[in-house]
Amino acid sequence: MPDEEIFFEDLDLSDDVLDALYDMRFEKCTPVQARCIPPILENRDVLGVAQTGTGKTAAYLLPLLTLLQRHEHPADSVNCLVIAPTRELARQIDQALQGFAYYTRVNAVAVYGGNDGVRYEQERRSLQAGADIVLATPGRLITHLQLGTLDLSRTTHLVLDEADRMLDMGFADDILSIVKQMPAERQTILFSATMPPKIAELARTVMHDPVEVEIAVSKPAENIQQSVYLCREGDKPLVLRHIFDKQPPQRVILFCSSKQKVKELSIVLQRKGYNARAMHSDLEQSERDEVMQLFRSQQIDLLVATDIVARGIDIDDITMVINYDAPHDAEDYVHRIGRTARAGRQGCAVTLIGERDRYGLQNIERTLQIEIPRAELPEGVRPPSSEGDSRKRPAGQRGKDSKREGKQGGEGSSAKRHRGGHRTRPQGAQAAGQSSQPGDQVAAQAATDGAKADEQKKRRHKPRRRKRPAGERPAGERPADERPAEPNQNE
Ligand code: AMP
């Protein structure tokens, strides 16, 4: 299927899932969603080559939630198992799931961390009560299987997310032994950022005639000179000063990953005498226009910004992009640094990697299959502690830290049960175009063909989810600040 614009409304997703998407302001599918959702809804196996940042989590969660709602599944068994390599990814999937499943009655248990007995006990009890979806890291899952607290003999849907990373971490045998416990008649969905031969082999072993979906990775332009400073979080200001001492900032964008940091850093830089301004989504549109106009006309040297300017700004003479924090994923990295070296020019992209950015760097380098040159730290700046060095390990060599995270998890959350909010729909709030009420069917039949076509046309470009009168919150519904998160909150 070509990557034409597809709206979620065009797909055969359940109404409850569409409602959550409406709340989250998700309207159009990303390419991986447009291409994966239909075959998953048909119960086909899907082999997806796509990275974090492409929308792959929704690409499998949305149709799976729909299938779990649509077809009868035993209440006392685990019906769907999602395995992710790290607690961090598992947590992200868990958060996305909470949003997408908000209006469904699908329940989920997350088992990905916490070493103490209390957590184990919570997980054990949750698992034994049955869960539509279990979300887990492989090591933890194996422990539950060995202890007999998890039965996968009736699990009909399996997702292996970031499978290449799981194999890099040495989980190949664990995955195979998990799969062996599941029925042969199941749906298997496998996502991987890359497609090395070992993934192709795993796919052949665990999948049945999969639909293959490959989303090309965008690559940074060759005329961008990239480098990273591996430093301590607290030394980032010193590294930044060193960069500016070498080359006073002019036509520079400095990206931070939160608006708070943008605000703080721009004030600090202004106080130090730099001609800097902040750009983030808390500014009014007129203020944003003004800042961009000042930057465009070279009245500002240094734009301190969130990802709000990472895409589609039409300024061709930016000489340098600095990432004060690692971007969330490779896609964001490519977009950010793509602000420089435009229109045939040369450009420079420097990324500061503190302790918290290590995972991000690893992800970017793995996905783009590059190793970004390390810049030498300025005199007086301490090198980072060796623990958690994100340089790639030789193939086959297992990451100790990663393995520990996968195998046992550390501090942090453990068993968690979230149920979709069971809301009562306000009278008359039935989504247009649905005919679950007899009256609706009569009304639909009475409509002329022309009126129907008009309505359909309108719906394609406008979300039609249940709109509640302002201020009205159906009983049992979560307040707005607990609703599914909207995307790009940090911008
Ligand atoms: P993922 O690749 O699943 O990690 O998703 C990357 C980010 O894109 C997440 O923050 C999602 O919330 C967001 N996202 C996924 N699909 C869509 C969509 N169709 N529209 C807007 N944002 C999306």
Side-chain angles (χ1 to χ4, degrees), residues 247-484:
Q247 192 179 340
Q250 239 186 359
R251 320 302 292 141
V252 170
I253 303 183
L254 176 60
F255 282 104
C256 301
S257 293
S258 76
K259 23 189 186 190
Q260 192 51 34
K261 210 178 242 180
V262 163
K263 291 175 195 173
E264 288 167 8
L265 197 56
S266 63
I267 291 170
V268 170
L269 289 166
Q270 283 163 5
R271 284 201 189 126
K272 288 187 190 294
Y274 293 105
N275 180 12
R277 283 287 290 269
M279 177 71 178
H280 49 80
S281 64
D282 278 355
L283 298 177
E284 296 290 332
Q285 189 58 48
S286 57
E287 295 171 306
R288 290 190 213 177
D289 293 346
E290 188 204 332
V291 174
M292 288 316 292
Q293 184 46 38
L294 289 172
F295 187 56
R296 193 172 283 116
S297 59
Q298 309 199 2
Q299 295 176 67
I300 296 173
D301 294 327
L302 177 57
L303 190 68
V304 186
T306 59
D307 282 306
I308 196 170
V309 296
R311 290 163 206 238
I313 58 160
D314 55 341
I315 302 177
D316 284 337
D317 59 352
I318 291 160
T319 56
M320 182 186 264
V321 167
I322 302 171
N323 295 309
Y324 198 74
D325 317 293
H328 292 303
D329 51 58
E331 197 74 19
D332 285 351
Y333 178 74
V334 173
H335 281 289
R336 282 188 185 184
I337 71 170
R339 296 306 102 212
T340 184
R342 294 171 73 79
R345 295 177 168 85
Q346 293 294 311
C348 183
V350 183
T351 305
L352 276 51
I353 299 295
E355 293 83 352
R356 275 175 281 169
D357 302 307
R358 298 295 165 83
Y359 175 77
L361 176 65
Q362 208 172 24
N363 192 22
I364 290 164
E365 292 192 319
R366 240 184 75 251
T367 306
L368 300 177
Q369 297 184 311
I370 54 173
E371 184 157 346
I372 307 171
R374 272 52 175 165
E376 204 174 309
L377 287 174
E379 221 167 287
V381 174
R382 295 162 301 169
S385 53
S386 58
E387 210 174 290
D389 188 351
S390 64
R391 274 177 182 274
K392 274 189 210 159
R393 295 179 177 85
Q397 189 177 321
R398 181 181 291 173
K400 198 170 114 229
D401 297 337
S402 317
K403 184 75 175 171
R404 188 173 57 232
E405 171 162 272
K407 279 284 183 195
Q408 300 170 333
E411 94 305 335
S413 75
S414 169
K416 204 157 28 121
R417 172 166 291 261
H418 42 76
R419 277 184 191 276
H422 301 170
R423 75 274 186 241
T424 21
R425 293 173 195 162
Q427 283 259 307
Q430 185 79 32
Q434 285 182 282
S435 53
S436 58
Q437 304 286 331
D440 290 344
Q441 282 170 10
V442 176
Q445 272 176 0
T448 63
D449 285 346
K452 265 197 220 160
D454 276 357
E455 173 62 18
Q456 265 172 4
K457 217 152 85 194
K458 262 191 261 157
R459 276 208 284 124
R460 268 186 70 84
H461 301 289
K462 217 168 64 164
R464 60 152 169 91
R465 298 290 90 209
R466 297 158 195 153
K467 280 209 180 114
R468 302 183 182 97
E472 183 180 313
R473 177 149 57 87
E477 186 174 303
R478 288 186 238 189
D481 56 357
E482 290 175 25
R483 294 266 176 78

Side-chain angles (χ1 to χ4, degrees), residues 61-74:
L61 285 181
L62 302 175
L64 284 174
L65 284 167
T66 300
L67 289 179
L68 290 170
Q69 285 194 290
R70 205 162 271 168
H71 304 292
E72 201 72 32
H73 284 86

Side-chain angles (χ1 to χ4, degrees), residues 1-13 17-18 21 25-38 41 53-56 58-60 62-63 215 460:
M1 196 198 298
D3 288 337
E4 63 189 76
E5 223 168 52
I6 308 266
F7 288 76
F8 288 110
E9 293 267 333
D10 296 331
L11 301 175
D12 188 24
L13 293 165
V17 167
L18 288 173
L21 290 172
R25 316 263 195 281
F26 282 22
E27 220 181 301
K28 283 180 219 155
C29 293
T30 65
V32 72
Q33 292 160 357
R35 291 168 62 187
C36 290
I37 292 174
L41 283 172
T54 53
K56 67 179 167 58
Y60 62 80
L62 302 175
I215 302 296
R460 268 186 70 84

Side-chain angles (χ1 to χ4, degrees), residues 13-14 17 37 40-41 43-44 57-71 73 79-82 97 106 132-133 156-160 187-189:
L13 293 165
S14 80
V17 167
I37 292 174
I40 296 177
L41 283 172
N43 230 348
R44 296 278 312 265
T57 316
Y60 62 80
L61 285 181
L62 302 175
L64 284 174
L65 284 167
T66 300
L67 289 179
L68 290 170
Q69 285 194 290
R70 205 162 271 168
H71 304 292
H73 284 86
N79 297 312
C80 173
L81 174 65
V82 180
L97 181 59
V106 172
D132 292 312
I133 301 179
T156 44
H157 305 271
L158 168 68
V159 180
L160 300 170
Q187 179 181 39
T188 307
I189 297 160

